[in-house]
Amino acid sequence: MKIVVIGGTGLVGSKTVERLRKRGHEVIAASPNSGVNTITGEGLAEALAGAQVVLDLANSPSFEDKAVLEFFETSGRNLLAAEKVAGVKHHVALSVVGTERLQESGYFRGKLAQEKLIRTSGIPYTIVHSTQFMEFLNGIAQSGTVGQTVRLSPAYVQPIASDDVADAMADVALSAPANKTIEISGPERARLSDLVARYLKAMKDPRTVEADAEARYFGARLNDQSLVSNDNPRLGTITFEEWFAKSASRSD
């Protein structure tokens, strides 16, 4: 089967491409660097010719409200239009658990706009809602840092390792379209402020974490339901400790 992975050179994309190729499929790792650009449309028709499945794993290069919305709307329209011409049978997109609950955030408004385009496209689809990646913990810490203090919400999170995400995306790509949203989550639930404190301690980072219920998460106020799955998700198997040990060994 020919499968095109948009964002195929990114964190999850590269791992998903590797898994699908190991299963014997023809996989195109599509990105602007490989001459496929969903914003300009460059290379889309050529990449999608003969493809049965498209995975959209691309992310906006900017988190600024207007830029995010423009990215997901423009990319989504161009990609879905090209898929119709190519006769693609299954569109798979990676999105975020809690997208519909976090519309204070410009990023999540962009993701919701992307999802609406998919649902109304007429192309069979599966939208995968994932919880936050463990690989994003450093960025989350940075987003709440002022001086040597990190202020973060104590709301619950259930982070997932990118390896577990790639396993799930490969399985979904090879399954029949669900024509709905499915959810994937990490194996353990923790409070965001506590988890980032554990991460910084493990990194020997001197910053201290303060739990602040009013602290914003990329523009949105959180509660205990905002970022966790309540819909019988597929659970990853990699714990925070296992992920950290593996990522630390890679950086040695």
Side-chain angles (χ1 to χ4, degrees):
M1 185 157 62
K2 180 178 176 180
I3 303 169
V4 176
V5 181
I6 305 296
T9 58
L11 173 66
V12 173
S14 58
K15 294 179 179 186
T16 305
V17 166
E18 179 187 5
R19 284 155 173 76
L20 290 169
R21 284 179 176 161
K22 281 183 177 177
R23 297 197 200 182
H25 299 282
E26 177 192 354
V27 186
I28 305 296
S31 70
N33 290 338
S34 67
V36 182
N37 192 318
T38 56
I39 298 299
T40 65
E42 177 195 359
L44 265 182
E46 295 82 359
L48 295 183
Q52 289 98 325
V53 179
V54 172
L55 278 79
D56 187 0
L57 307 181
N59 204 0
S60 173
S62 168
F63 275 38
E64 190 273 322
D65 287 4
K66 185 169 180 284
V68 168
L69 185 61
E70 286 181 355
F71 175 86
F72 284 120
E73 287 189 331
T74 303
S75 177
R77 287 195 183 101
N78 288 341
L79 183 56
L80 292 163
E83 286 178 31
K84 280 189 176 179
V85 173
V88 169
K89 300 294 190 291
H90 188 187
H91 178 95
V92 182
L94 180 60
S95 193
V96 189
V97 164
T99 290
E100 69 287 351
R101 298 189 287 268
L102 295 167
Q103 290 298 293
E104 282 181 283
S105 163
Y107 181 80
F108 291 102
R109 289 196 294 273
K111 291 302 289 182
L112 190 62
Q114 177 193 32
E115 292 182 21
K116 286 178 178 176
L117 288 171
I118 293 165
R119 291 193 183 95
T120 58
S121 69
I123 298 170
Y125 72 91
T126 306
I127 296 171
V128 180
H129 270 190
S130 173
T131 52
Q132 282 58 42
F133 302 167
M134 292 182 192
E135 286 81 359
F136 291 170
L137 287 173
N138 183 61
I140 291 169
Q142 287 298 113
S143 74
T145 296
V146 177
Q148 289 297 300
T149 302
V150 184
R151 284 188 172 80
L152 292 172
S153 170
Y156 280 117
V157 291
Q158 198 162 338
I160 186 168
S162 62
D163 282 315
D164 280 336
V165 178
D167 286 340
M169 298 311 294
D171 286 346
V172 170
L174 301 178
S175 302
N179 292 312
K180 65 178 184 179
T181 299
I182 63 174
E183 297 188 342
I184 59 175
S185 300
E188 302 170 310
R189 188 171 289 196
R191 296 200 175 276
L192 179 62
S193 49
D194 292 344
L195 185 65
V196 171
R198 282 165 63 193
Y199 171 75
L200 293 178
K201 183 179 179 181
M203 290 292 291
K204 298 181 171 53
D205 189 307
R207 286 177 290 176
T208 58
V209 178
E210 289 186 6
D212 179 357
E214 297 302 319
R216 299 287 161 147
Y217 182 81
F218 299 103
R221 189 182 188 280
L222 302 179
N223 61 42
D224 282 345
Q225 288 74 47
S226 298
L227 292 174
V228 294
S229 176
N230 297 306
D231 194 26
N232 191 29
R234 166 175 167 153
L235 293 178
T237 61
I238 300 169
T239 65
F240 170 78
E241 282 75 16
E242 290 167 340
W243 168 79
F244 187 84
K246 190 174 181 180
S247 60
S249 68
R250 281 180 184 152
S251 61
D252 288 344

